[in-house]
Amino acid sequence: MSWMLPIPVLLPLLSAGFALVLSHKPRVQQLISLITLLTVLAVGVVLAVGANSGPIVLDVGSWAAPIGITLVADRLSSLMLVVSQIVTLAVLVYSLAQNLADEDPDVPIAIYHPTYLILIAGVSNSFLTGDLFNLYVGFEILLAASFVLITIGGTRGRTRAGTVYIIVSLVSSILFLTGIALTYAAAGTVNMAQLSTRLREIDPNVALTIQLVLLVAFGIKAAVFPLAAWLPNSYPTAPAPVTAVFAGLLTKVGIYALIRLQVLLFPGGGVSTLLTVVGIATMIVGILGAIAQHDMRRLLSFVLVSHIGFMIWGLAVVNKAGLAATIFYAANHILVQTTLFLLIGLIERHEGTTSLRTLGGLAKTRPALSIMFMLAGLNLVGVPPFTGFIGKLGLAQSSVLQGRWEGYSLLAAGMLTSFLTLYALVKIWNFAFWQPKSDWHVTDTDIAEMQFSTYQRAAVRAVEEITRNADTADRMQTSTRTQSELERTGASRLMYASAGSLVLVMIAMTIGAGPIYAYASNAALDQMDRATYLHAVLGEDGRGSGKSKESATDAPLVLQRLAKPAEEDSARDVQNDGRVQNPCVPGVQDYWSYCWRAPFIIDEKDERLISHIKSLELLRDYVKAFEKGVATND
């Protein structure tokens, strides 16, 4: 099955070339894109099923790891890959129905589909790579494509927002490249499997420096506070399909990189306090920014930033329950955010605006759209029985299991953020869907009915300030749109079908939440039990499965002498990759130790998972008996 690993990366790149050559035939471009994404989705599903039995590994070009580039499909990368392929396919169908590349004369026809396919290739490469530098390459591929997509149409507002986005992305890339250079200088490799053993052997201060540099780089890409100011001013400016795929997917690539960083490369609680503060600040600041907005796109962009904090929550508590909840919640959030932005795109097509000041009565005029928005909104808030609630419940459980002030602080911030998210969604529902358009603003009669003149003057000043801010926001959003986007052009049934298909996927994910959460729990266990990942990538001798190691006897004598110490280092890495020191022993501070917990949902058919849990329970009982014996001198 390993031969299928390059397909999600290579096929979109090759198809992008064909689409660019056939730019004079838009229908053929669309067909190429559609067939490519359907094929990639089918391959992703097969890889996800296969990864459930163990990581699938391919040494690219038969260059054996850790020298060559390795592609790895484990449970984590496979789950993220499949969800990303589902949303990119739905967004492609939506954009085909909207006829984004043909209908608007301001949009460059030739480059939309090739650029979109390159974006998908970059995302797939980021999820599947087992090499830190190749992860950087994947980021650069998707960022290069996003630079084009975010400015498509060439309006003044999009160009200004795109410039900010490009500058921030370049800063992040420079930091990432700096972190890679420091990592290679300290450990002598960029293979993530080998790094997970070698980084524990270097100076702790050097390791912490590398971790912080990479943490900042990935934090910018994931849009965590205080590195998220660029997102609400950039994502809402793009066309609706582009905003949907950006909001749903690109920040989760950053979250995926953070999971690999914090769990595979630098496991333990070294920066848990920092992540706790960042997670709380991201949740609270993001949602406070959301409730102050009067444009639906900007409001949901701030909500997006806020809910990134929930995923940081799972990383901050440093236990398996939190990691499993983070993986599950990230997969669900990709679907929810993409769906909501597609639905906002439908509103814009019908009404010519997304401003809450001018919208109203959509529940009566667009009932199907209203129902879909309500379902997606309830999932985002975390109302039972939707998957958003299950993910948040798993995060709450991880905080209780941790039993420390960091976990309880995150739990309190998460509950507050969820209530404020409900307020923000109710605000959208009331203004855009429920009440008539004429009921939005405070009238002069309302102010005149106040009893005291002081209250009247304060009310007038408040209304004037709100109006000025809303006018500014409306002008900014108007400046980002092309003329056709400002007109009420209507929406086709296929556009509704593409958005509705994501709603159905959310409902199906809710129905099958048990198996999916078990899959996420097993993915979390794989990350924390690094031995499985390391042996799959490096093999029994520390050199992977590529054919290049077989030609060592034919190499010049000088190269054979250089290869010998490298082979010895690799063999030592393999011997150490399963090392666990003092797990869950109170009072023992080990940077590389973990405190494992039972998963939120246990798949009774997974014998490997059950055996792990039973062995850990026996270890816990032994530790308690040992502590009791020490206390009584027995």
Side-chain angles (χ1 to χ4, degrees):
M1 196 177 293
S2 61
W3 64 270
M4 304 177 70
L5 281 171
I7 294 178
V9 181
L10 289 181
L11 185 59
L13 288 176
L14 293 174
S15 299
F18 284 115
L20 188 60
V21 170
L22 298 172
S23 59
H24 58 289
K25 297 182 178 180
R27 299 299 180 188
V28 178
Q29 271 192 334
Q30 296 170 4
L31 183 61
I32 290 174
S33 300
L34 187 59
I35 293 175
T36 299
L37 292 197
L38 287 171
T39 304
V40 168
L41 176 59
V43 171
V45 172
V46 173
L47 289 175
V49 174
N52 201 33
S53 301
I56 304 170
V57 180
L58 175 69
D59 290 329
V60 177
S62 293
W63 282 92
I67 303 301
I69 296 174
T70 303
L71 299 180
V72 186
D74 58 359
R75 288 186 178 97
L76 172 60
S77 58
S78 298
L79 178 61
M80 300 297 287
L81 183 67
V82 170
V83 176
S84 68
Q85 290 165 349
I86 290 173
V87 299
T88 50
L89 177 60
V91 170
L92 176 67
V93 174
Y94 183 98
S95 63
L96 294 181
Q98 182 175 303
N99 215 0
L100 177 65
D102 300 331
E103 190 174 277
D104 190 349
D106 296 329
V107 174
I109 298 174
I111 52 91
Y112 173 71
H113 287 280
T115 308
Y116 190 73
L117 290 171
I118 292 173
L119 177 78
I120 294 167
V123 171
S124 299
N125 185 71
S126 299
F127 286 146
L128 291 175
T129 185
D131 183 276
L132 193 61
F133 185 79
N134 197 37
L135 177 62
Y136 169 80
V137 173
F139 272 123
E140 292 308 297
I141 292 173
L142 69 90
L143 286 176
S146 67
F147 295 161
V148 177
L149 293 174
I150 202 169
T151 57
I152 199 167
T155 61
R156 178 176 297 181
R158 283 179 188 168
T159 303
R160 181 177 61 250
T163 301
V164 174
Y165 175 76
I166 291 172
I167 292 173
V168 172
S169 299
L170 290 177
V171 171
S172 174
S173 298
I174 291 172
L175 287 172
F176 190 5
L177 197 58
T178 303
I180 293 174
L182 293 174
T183 302
Y184 188 77
T189 182
V190 290
N191 182 279
M192 288 192 283
Q194 197 172 39
L195 282 173
S196 67
T197 61
R198 291 194 176 182
L199 286 174
R200 78 179 72 176
E201 300 171 354
I202 67 175
D203 183 88
N205 294 326
V206 175
L208 182 60
T209 301
I210 296 172
Q211 184 180 11
L212 291 176
V213 172
L214 293 176
L215 190 64
V216 173
F218 296 153
I220 295 175
K221 298 181 186 299
V224 301
F225 181 84
L227 308 172
W230 58 271
L231 190 149
N233 292 324
S234 299
Y235 282 7
T237 63
V242 176
T243 301
V245 76
F246 280 20
L249 190 55
L250 294 195
T251 52
K252 309 312 177 300
V253 179
I255 291 295
Y256 170 83
L258 284 174
I259 293 174
R260 292 293 194 194
L261 175 71
Q262 292 301 115
V263 181
L264 183 63
L265 302 185
F266 296 98
V271 294
S272 60
T273 302
L274 174 61
L275 290 176
T276 298
V277 174
V278 169
I280 292 173
T282 302
M283 285 188 279
I284 300 301
V285 174
I287 200 60
L288 290 179
I291 61 180
Q293 302 304 313
H294 300 280
D295 183 90
M296 295 176 70
R297 283 196 184 188
R298 285 182 60 82
L299 190 153
L300 282 181
S301 295
F302 275 99
V303 172
L304 166 63
V305 172
S306 175
H307 283 234
I308 295 296
F310 283 96
M311 301 165 216
I312 301 299
W313 176 358
L315 293 176
V317 294
V318 199
N319 60 26
K320 180 188 165 295
L323 181 58
T326 291
I327 295 171
F328 183 83
Y329 193 81
N332 174 70
H333 201 254
I334 292 174
L335 289 171
V336 175
Q337 284 286 352
T338 304
T339 303
L340 286 172
F341 275 99
L342 289 183
L343 295 174
I344 289 177
L346 291 174
I347 294 173
E348 186 177 22
R349 297 281 292 188
H350 287 302
E351 303 297 326
T353 182
T354 56
S355 174
L356 295 177
R357 306 170 69 205
T358 56
L359 292 172
L362 290 175
K364 183 177 181 179
T365 59
R366 310 290 175 188
L369 179 58
S370 304
I371 293 172
M372 288 190 293
F373 191 91
M374 176 182 289
L375 292 175
L378 292 175
N379 196 348
L380 180 66
V381 173
V383 175
F386 290 104
T387 46
F389 167 76
I390 297 173
K392 291 180 179 179
L393 185 60
L395 290 170
Q397 184 205 31
S398 70
S399 291
V400 174
L401 289 174
Q402 188 198 42
R404 295 165 52 187
W405 70 267
E406 294 97 333
Y408 291 119
S409 299
L410 286 162
L411 178 58
M415 293 178 64
L416 176 61
T417 303
S418 296
F419 282 117
L420 292 178
T421 302
L422 177 61
Y423 171 81
L425 270 294
V426 168
K427 176 180 177 180
I428 292 179
W429 180 261
N430 283 339
F431 288 160
F433 292 90
W434 191 249
Q435 68 184 25
K437 295 182 180 181
S438 59
D439 289 351
W440 186 87
H441 58 281
V442 179
T443 64
D444 294 337
T445 303
D446 296 330
I447 297 176
E449 290 177 352
M450 295 182 180
Q451 296 180 358
F452 302 102
S453 59
T454 302
Y455 292 164
Q456 292 180 6
R457 289 194 298 270
V460 169
R461 287 195 298 269
V463 170
E464 290 175 350
E465 181 66 21
I466 292 173
T467 302
R468 281 195 299 270
N469 293 336
D471 288 340
T472 301
D474 287 348
R475 286 195 299 270
M476 290 176 61
Q477 287 301 110
T478 301
S479 68
T480 65
R481 294 167 185 164
T482 62
Q483 185 60 39
S484 64
E485 289 172 349
L486 294 172
E487 299 173 354
R488 301 184 181 186
T489 53
S492 65
R493 292 181 179 178
L494 187 57
M495 293 172 68
Y496 273 89
S498 61
S501 65
L502 290 183
V503 176
L504 293 178
V505 172
M506 285 193 300
I507 295 174
M509 190 173 179
T510 300
I511 296 173
I516 296 174
Y517 203 107
Y519 194 95
S521 296
N522 291 336
L525 182 62
D526 289 341
Q527 301 309 300
M528 302 185 78
D529 180 17
R530 300 179 305 280
T532 302
Y533 182 91
L534 269 62
H535 279 280
V537 174
L538 299 178
E540 296 299 327
D541 58 354
R543 287 298 313 279
S545 58
K547 294 181 179 179
S548 62
K549 64 180 181 179
E550 299 174 1
S551 61
T553 56
D554 301 331
L557 184 60
V558 175
L559 295 181
Q560 293 185 39
R561 290 173 180 172
L562 293 175
K564 187 174 180 179
E567 292 176 357
E568 293 175 353
D569 291 341
S570 297
R572 187 186 72 251
D573 293 336
V574 173
Q575 292 175 0
N576 295 337
D577 60 19
R579 180 174 60 186
V580 178
Q581 301 174 356
N582 303 319
C584 302
V585 178
V588 177
Q589 298 297 327
D590 190 311
Y591 187 76
W592 224 261
S593 65
Y594 273 105
C595 191
W596 291 12
R597 305 290 184 181
F600 175 62
I601 296 178
I602 301 176
D603 186 359
E604 296 181 354
K605 297 180 181 179
D606 194 335
E607 297 180 356
R608 176 174 172 269
L609 179 61
I610 296 297
S611 64
H612 271 294
I613 294 171
K614 289 182 178 179
S615 61
L616 291 172
E617 289 175 347
L618 290 173
L619 177 61
R620 181 189 59 193
D621 295 339
Y622 173 79
V623 170
K624 288 182 178 179
F626 177 77
E627 291 175 342
K628 183 178 179 181
V630 171
T632 59
N633 293 322
D634 186 1

